[in-house]
Amino acid sequence: MPDSFLELQRWQFDLTWSLFEYHLERLEPEDFLWEPAALHWTMHQAEDGTWTPDWAESEPDPVPAPTAAWLSWHLGWWWSAALDQVRGRAPRERTAVSWPGPGEPAVAWLRGLRAEWLSALDQLTDADLAAAVPSLPDGDPRRTIGHLIAWANAELMKNVAEIGQLRLQRAAR
């Protein structure tokens, strides 16, 4: 058994990331914008080269199938906001997170976020885990940094599975 909650969360994160690397190493630029269904969410490039995500303030019904591009942006958004909170800052807004584009730019960005996350986790102590966080999706004000780390691992697992499944589906076609 690990000596601490942080060690256990780090082990879980590393396991999930190793599964993600399997897909990151095989993702082609075309995989990112592949549309898995007629109703989907993706990223759109503006004339100035910036990318914006499809978005709705309330979840639509039915929920659109996301592209790998949208999922990688979403992963980068929530992870950037989680990093802010672990570092004691207010979480940034989704509009403040810029997606770098399909292929290697997105992969490098995600790997960079991983490095930042690990650096932030390495600076935490078990005592830090009890500090309150400004925001988690469930909105419960009793949530702590420990909850945030556990939530981030779960969200990463979900996004890794979704991106991996999209890559496999496109390759199987």
Side-chain angles (χ1 to χ4, degrees):
M1 183 72 182
D3 291 334
S4 72
F5 175 81
L6 276 170
E7 282 184 34
L8 181 60
Q9 292 301 298
R10 175 66 182 266
W11 173 84
Q12 187 179 53
F13 173 85
D14 289 341
L15 173 63
T16 303
W17 189 265
S18 71
L19 299 171
F20 199 20
E21 275 297 334
Y22 176 83
H23 295 293
L24 288 177
E25 291 169 0
R26 291 161 179 81
L27 278 170
E28 300 292 331
E30 298 79 20
D31 291 331
F32 284 85
L33 295 168
W34 177 69
E35 299 170 357
L39 178 61
H40 64 275
W41 274 354
T42 193
M43 300 297 291
H44 304 277
Q45 191 170 27
E47 287 184 21
D48 67 359
T50 60
W51 293 86
T52 57
D54 288 325
W55 187 258
E57 290 303 321
S58 60
E59 193 164 284
D61 184 18
V63 175
T67 63
W70 192 92
L71 287 165
S72 65
W73 163 78
H74 180 257
L75 197 162
W77 165 40
W78 68 253
W79 213 352
S80 295
L83 272 163
D84 290 338
Q85 293 183 84
V86 167
R87 291 179 174 147
R89 300 187 302 239
R92 66 192 83 180
E93 297 293 325
R94 88 179 146 74
T95 54
V97 176
S98 299
W99 188 66
E104 187 54 35
V107 170
W109 180 54
L110 294 171
R111 286 179 175 146
L113 285 168
R114 173 189 177 264
E116 286 183 60
W117 184 249
L118 293 177
S119 175
L121 292 183
D122 287 345
Q123 295 174 15
L124 293 176
T125 66
D126 284 336
D128 294 329
L129 299 176
V133 294
S135 175
L136 265 177
D138 68 3
D140 188 334
R142 298 170 296 170
R143 299 295 184 228
T144 64
I145 293 292
H147 288 101
L148 176 70
I149 292 168
W151 170 84
N153 278 353
E155 188 71 19
L156 180 64
M157 283 181 234
K158 179 183 81 69
N159 290 155
V160 165
E162 291 169 323
I163 291 170
Q165 188 63 38
L166 285 168
R167 188 190 69 76
L168 292 171
Q169 286 177 340
R170 183 174 178 274
R173 290 182 171 242

